[in-house]
Amino acid sequence: MTAVPADQDRRAGAALPEYRDIRIEHRGPITWIVLNRPDKANALSHAMLDEFSDALARLAHTGGPVLGIRGAGKGFSAGYDIDQVGRQVTAPDPVADRERLARNVNRCLAIWDHPKPVIAAVHGYCIAGATQMCVFADLTFVADDARIGEPALPLGGGYIAPLWAPLVGPKRAKELAFIPANAIDGATAVRWGWANHAVPAAELVDRVEETAARIARIPSDVLRIKKLSVNRAMDAMGVRTAAAGVPEMDALLHLSPSVAEIRSWIGDVGLKEAIAAFNRPPEPRPGREEPEPRPEREEGDTP
């Protein structure tokens, strides 16, 4: 990859502050927003989300004609930081919970509504709330060995899979949601329609930058209307309405006695053991016997 000259890089990023939990990289026609908490698996903390939203807004008027989102380190992101964004208080306020959840969905809708094309590049892992960024990106490239999926523990509901449904269909969205820690690889993500292209991990960034360079040949105002027209079609199909309902479903389930019981159990056994328990294969059903082999048909028997 060839970086742009330093003076051009300074002009492109003149309006951007220094961020702590994200990194901005200007590379010719594409400006990258890099999730930059690799020691925390790029978990989406309050600070990172605030910085991401700030950068996204500023890059509407500066930077390259195409935006990219990727993660530093071993993966894209492990999802919302469970110690911050995903933390539940002992006496939750459903209204405040709903507002919190809606605020985070709206951060991702800002990708959908952004005037520039946005490309997500996923390597390693992209779990839970991090998948929402990719759902609302205009294009998504994935490493063929990436792991993309649901949270490891069922502490909420109706927050991830409904946003997948317009891309993968309702049955696949339900399959994703019904099985704990369910995940798909990059090739499956393309086959399902969640992503555009699966490529070897070593080629991921280069492939995105090549695509951004081709996109940038089209004038920005034309790109804006092309994006808007497709989004209008999706809005007519109910995508934005579905996204608006996501916070209510998740806030409702946060008050469920079952979720409270799971949270209490996690406190007793610890997070790692809880995740391991949900990932263990089911025990064989007691008393189940192998079926006897069917006798072979003799000549002249009807099928």
Side-chain angles (χ1 to χ4, degrees):
M1 298 180 295
T2 303
V4 298
D7 59 341
Q8 181 180 341
D9 190 83
R10 282 195 296 271
R11 288 197 303 271
L16 298 176
E18 290 291 328
Y19 295 114
R20 185 188 70 182
D21 291 332
I22 64 171
R23 186 172 74 244
I24 305 299
E25 294 181 3
H26 302 286
R27 305 188 69 85
I30 189 169
T31 293
W32 287 101
I33 301 176
V34 184
L35 309 179
N36 195 30
R37 296 181 76 206
D39 56 324
K40 299 292 186 181
N42 293 327
L44 305 175
S45 64
H46 290 303
M48 177 186 278
L49 289 168
D50 286 344
E51 289 182 354
F52 179 85
S53 294
D54 182 79
L56 198 66
R58 292 174 185 267
L59 287 169
H61 310 291
T62 188
V66 180
L67 301 186
I69 306 170
R70 74 175 197 266
K74 296 181 179 179
F76 183 83
S77 172
Y80 291 117
D81 191 325
I82 197 169
D83 291 328
Q84 294 186 26
V85 184
R87 187 177 182 181
Q88 292 291 300
V89 296
T90 53
D93 176 348
V95 175
D97 194 27
R98 184 264 172 204
E99 293 300 312
R100 174 182 67 86
L101 295 164
R103 187 163 54 249
N104 290 331
V105 171
N106 287 338
R107 294 181 192 275
C108 295
L109 277 170
I111 300 170
W112 179 263
D113 291 326
H114 202 274
K116 297 180 181 180
V118 181
I119 307 176
V122 175
H123 77 290
Y125 44 81
C126 179
I127 307 299
T131 69
Q132 294 172 334
M133 290 183 171
C134 303
V135 163
F136 288 113
D138 300 301
L139 302 178
T140 301
F141 284 64
V142 294
D144 46 21
D145 60 352
R147 178 173 171 266
I148 305 148
E150 277 277 302
L153 296 168
L155 297 176
Y159 198 61
I160 307 301
L163 299 181
W164 281 46
L167 302 180
V168 307
K171 291 187 182 292
R172 284 172 171 164
K174 290 173 184 176
E175 178 183 344
L176 177 85
F178 290 172
I179 301 173
N182 204 358
I184 56 176
D185 61 19
T188 303
V190 173
R191 190 168 67 250
W192 280 19
W194 189 88
N196 295 84
H197 301 284
V199 301
E203 301 175 13
L204 179 63
V205 172
D206 285 340
R207 287 287 298 273
V208 171
E209 293 187 348
E210 289 168 6
T211 301
R214 296 182 66 186
I215 291 172
R217 294 172 181 170
I218 296 180
S220 293
D221 58 344
V222 177
L223 284 173
R224 173 61 180 137
I225 297 304
K226 284 178 176 286
K227 174 172 177 171
L228 188 61
S229 65
V230 176
N231 284 1
R232 286 278 176 87
M234 296 301 293
D235 287 344
M237 296 166 63
V239 171
R240 196 178 297 268
T241 301
V246 160
E248 282 85 352
M249 295 295 100
D250 210 41
L252 175 66
L253 201 57
H254 287 167
L255 296 176
S256 163
S258 297
V259 170
E261 185 176 343
I262 291 173
R263 287 189 178 277
S264 176
W265 170 70
I266 293 171
D268 292 338
V269 304
L271 187 61
K272 288 185 178 180
E273 172 54 30
I275 292 172
F278 272 97
N279 282 330
R280 291 188 191 109
E283 295 289 335
R285 288 187 291 175
R288 183 178 182 182
E289 298 179 358
E290 291 295 322
E292 294 183 6
R294 296 177 60 186
E296 295 184 7
R297 289 195 298 115
E298 296 184 5
E299 189 175 350
D301 286 347
T302 57

